[in-house]
């Protein structure tokens, strides 16, 4: 069962393997799973229990929100969805039973950006964990664990694989104890990645930097073009000076 470490290691020599062993996300270890939503549920079920509360980005990936709203209440899990770009709103949303702050930044498709370090500080002050959906940026552009997050996840179906020919996910933990909990949940859920998925992701990782550079370059040009177009009233893109 491949981990995120294995996905980014060189296969040339043991010496190179040791020097590149840290994951792209600079976490302790990763858990490769069968889909992005498998990664989401490994986090939810690993961290949350009956009577617990989770705070989430209001514009979070649709199924990540839908499953909290429609399925987890029957297990006694409460959830709140707020604007996680507003630190005061985050602080106000915390309850004594809040165990997890789950953010997606940048959010898809709103492009809302949360302050990961500030979110981590608030969560930790309240004894909660911070998990970040980093699918949009990929670890090439953003590494939430270096900014204070405890857990990061990806739908590797998107940027990391990059070829739209598999479905896959990954969860990376910063702390060994959190990793142990999450990996145990993955085993019990049976949502592990299969060997062919692992092969396809390995192939995609090799071109991650090239693809993200080109996508970012193209997006910037499109955003600038639209911003200056007389028929476009507004454009929301983080790369614009406006």
């Amino acid at each position: 069962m491949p981990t995120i470490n294995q996905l980014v290691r060189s296969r040339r020599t043991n010496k190179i393997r040791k020097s590149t062993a840290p994951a792209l996300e600079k976490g302790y270890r990763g858990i490769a799973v069968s889909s992005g939503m498998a990664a989401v549920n490994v986090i939810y079920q690993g961290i949350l229990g009956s009577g617990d509360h989770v705070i989430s980005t209001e514009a979070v990936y649709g199924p990540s929100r839908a499953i909290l709203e429609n399925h987890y209440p029957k297990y006694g899990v409460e959830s709140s969805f707020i604007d996680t770009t507003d630190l005061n709103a985050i602080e106000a949303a915390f309850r004594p039973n809040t165990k997890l702050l789950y953010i997606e930044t940048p959010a898809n498709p709103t492009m809302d950006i949360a302050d990961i370090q500030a979110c981590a500080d608030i969560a930790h002050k309240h004894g909660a964990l911070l998990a970040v959906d980093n699918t949009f940026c990929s670890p090439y552009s953003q590494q939430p664990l270096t900014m204070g997050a405890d857990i990061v996840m990806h739908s590797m179906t998107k940027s990391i694989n990059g070829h739209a020919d598999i479905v896959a996910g990954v969860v990376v933990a910063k702390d060994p104890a959190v990793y142990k909990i999450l990996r145990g949940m993955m085993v019990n859920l049976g949502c592990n990645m299969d060997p062919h998925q692992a092969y396809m992701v390995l192939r995609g990782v090799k071109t991650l930097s090239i693809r993200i550079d080109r996508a970012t370059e193209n997006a910037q040009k499109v955003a600038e073009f639209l911003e200056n177009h007389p028929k476009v009233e507004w454009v929301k893109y983080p790369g614009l000076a406006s």
Side-chain angles (χ1 to χ4, degrees):
M1 187 185 312
T3 66
I4 192 66
N5 284 344
Q6 292 169 322
L7 299 182
V8 297
R9 286 176 182 167
S10 165
R11 293 185 292 174
R12 293 180 180 178
T13 67
N14 288 334
K15 183 177 180 180
I16 294 177
R17 284 194 188 101
K18 290 178 181 178
S19 66
T20 58
L24 288 169
E25 287 286 3
K26 294 182 168 55
Y28 169 66
R29 285 184 182 175
I31 305 153
V33 294
S34 54
S35 69
M37 281 308 298
V40 170
N41 280 289
V42 163
I43 295 170
Y44 288 170
Q45 294 200 33
I47 303 302
L48 300 170
S50 180
D52 290 341
H53 173 244
V54 54
I55 301 168
S56 179
T57 302
E58 61 184 355
V60 74
Y61 177 60
S64 299
R65 175 168 180 162
I67 198 165
L68 278 179
E69 288 185 312
N70 300 325
H71 296 280
Y72 278 83
K74 65 186 177 184
Y75 303 123
V77 174
E78 302 172 325
S79 55
S80 299
F81 298 90
I82 64 169
D83 177 5
T84 49
T85 69
D86 184 342
L87 299 181
N88 290 327
I90 295 173
E91 182 71 52
F94 266 86
R95 306 174 185 173
N97 61 334
T98 303
K99 294 295 189 296
L100 179 67
L101 174 58
Y102 184 96
I103 66 174
E104 181 179 356
T105 182
N108 186 3
T110 62
M111 299 299 290
D112 289 335
I113 295 178
D115 184 332
I116 295 173
Q117 181 65 65
C119 287
D121 291 343
I122 294 171
H124 296 159
K125 181 178 72 173
H126 290 277
L129 298 178
L130 173 65
V132 179
D133 182 338
N134 197 29
T135 298
F136 200 111
C137 267
S138 90
Y140 179 71
S141 301
Q142 175 175 275
Q143 296 165 335
L145 297 181
T146 68
M147 304 179 215
D150 302 287
I151 303 165
V152 65
M153 64 77 57
H154 292 268
S155 168
M156 295 198 293
T157 309
K158 303 176 178 72
S159 296
I160 293 181
N161 174 57
H163 295 272
D165 52 9
I166 63 156
V167 174
V170 69
V171 183
V172 185
K174 181 163 62 178
D175 183 78
V178 175
Y179 165 80
K180 184 177 180 180
I181 292 169
L182 297 176
R183 188 181 185 281
M185 182 55 63
M186 179 275 291
V187 171
N188 289 332
L189 289 175
C191 57
N192 55 290
M193 177 181 283
D194 70 59
H196 181 257
Q197 284 176 300
Y199 166 76
M200 298 293 270
V201 171
L202 277 169
R203 176 210 55 181
V205 167
K206 294 176 183 178
T207 59
L208 178 63
S209 61
I210 298 170
R211 290 186 286 100
I212 296 299
D213 282 341
R214 180 57 59 86
T216 303
E217 178 185 343
N218 290 345
Q220 184 70 30
K221 290 178 180 178
V222 170
E224 290 173 357
F225 171 80
L226 292 174
E227 187 175 48
N228 293 313
H229 197 288
K231 293 186 178 181
V232 176
E233 293 187 7
W234 59 270
V235 177
K236 188 174 183 178
Y237 184 67
L240 294 173
S242 60

